[in-house]
Amino acid sequence: MAESDWDTVTVLRKKGPSAAQAKSKQVSAGAVGPGAGPSRRRTWAWGGQNKQHFITKNTAKLDRETEELHHDRVSLEVGKVIQQGRQSKGLTQKDLATKINEKPQVIADYESGRAIPNNQVMGKIERAIGLKLRGKDIGKPLETGPKGK
């Protein structure tokens, strides 16, 4: 054997970088800046911010529309009718709320006009105070007739 056989080194079981390692090196090199690494590609996967933000005409139109849209609230007239009906029966807001199985804050919201009207709640209040809160005859006595099924 010649000495040249001893100069050749063969390494077994040496693996190259795994796919995940290669990708992370590529991402970090590309995120540093253009020309900084072997790849000039910038990635947007940092911190989950891979969303593209651009405004179209439709987006601007939606923004204008959503500012004008709002939920209808109970009118102050209805709130005053609830308050007068409750006081005529000698009930506090808490008593009325207990009677209709709602929270006292619900009654306070209805009386102040902050509540979004719910027909079930309005019906319970109407029956409890005996006054109409919906339709044309707001404030008129509730007509209690036999239920027809």
Side-chain angles (χ1 to χ4, degrees):
M1 286 198 197
E3 289 184 29
S4 63
D5 288 341
W6 293 99
D7 292 339
T8 306
V9 178
T10 304
V11 179
L12 299 175
R13 298 182 188 224
K14 182 171 181 180
K15 296 179 182 177
S18 68
Q21 291 171 342
K23 187 175 181 181
S24 67
K25 285 182 182 178
Q26 193 177 34
V27 167
S28 63
V32 171
S39 172
R40 288 186 156 195
R41 190 182 87 200
R42 283 194 176 263
T43 60
W44 299 100
W46 292 94
Q49 298 183 10
N50 56 354
K51 297 178 183 174
Q52 296 179 357
H53 297 285
F54 56 90
I55 297 178
T56 62
K57 291 180 183 178
N58 290 339
T59 308
K61 185 177 179 182
L62 277 174
D63 285 341
R64 282 194 305 273
E65 286 180 2
T66 54
E67 289 175 9
E68 297 166 6
L69 295 177
H70 61 279
H71 291 288
D72 292 332
R73 307 276 182 199
V74 175
S75 69
L76 285 175
E77 177 189 3
V78 172
K80 287 185 180 191
V81 169
I82 293 172
Q83 186 176 16
Q84 290 168 353
R86 174 178 61 79
Q87 289 172 345
S88 70
K89 297 263 185 182
L91 299 171
T92 63
Q93 287 182 346
K94 186 175 180 180
D95 294 338
L96 179 58
T98 305
K99 193 171 185 178
I100 67 168
N101 293 326
E102 293 289 340
K103 294 180 180 178
Q105 186 62 45
V106 172
I107 303 300
D109 288 344
Y110 272 86
E111 287 185 3
S112 65
R114 290 188 307 256
I116 297 170
N118 180 339
N119 278 329
Q120 282 185 318
V121 176
M122 296 281 273
K124 289 180 194 178
I125 296 172
E126 281 180 339
R127 288 189 297 276
I129 63 175
L131 298 174
K132 283 192 166 214
L133 301 175
R134 299 172 285 186
K136 293 184 269 182
D137 304 331
I138 295 175
K140 304 276 172 138
L142 189 64
E143 298 153 7
T144 55
K147 286 187 178 180
K149 285 191 175 182

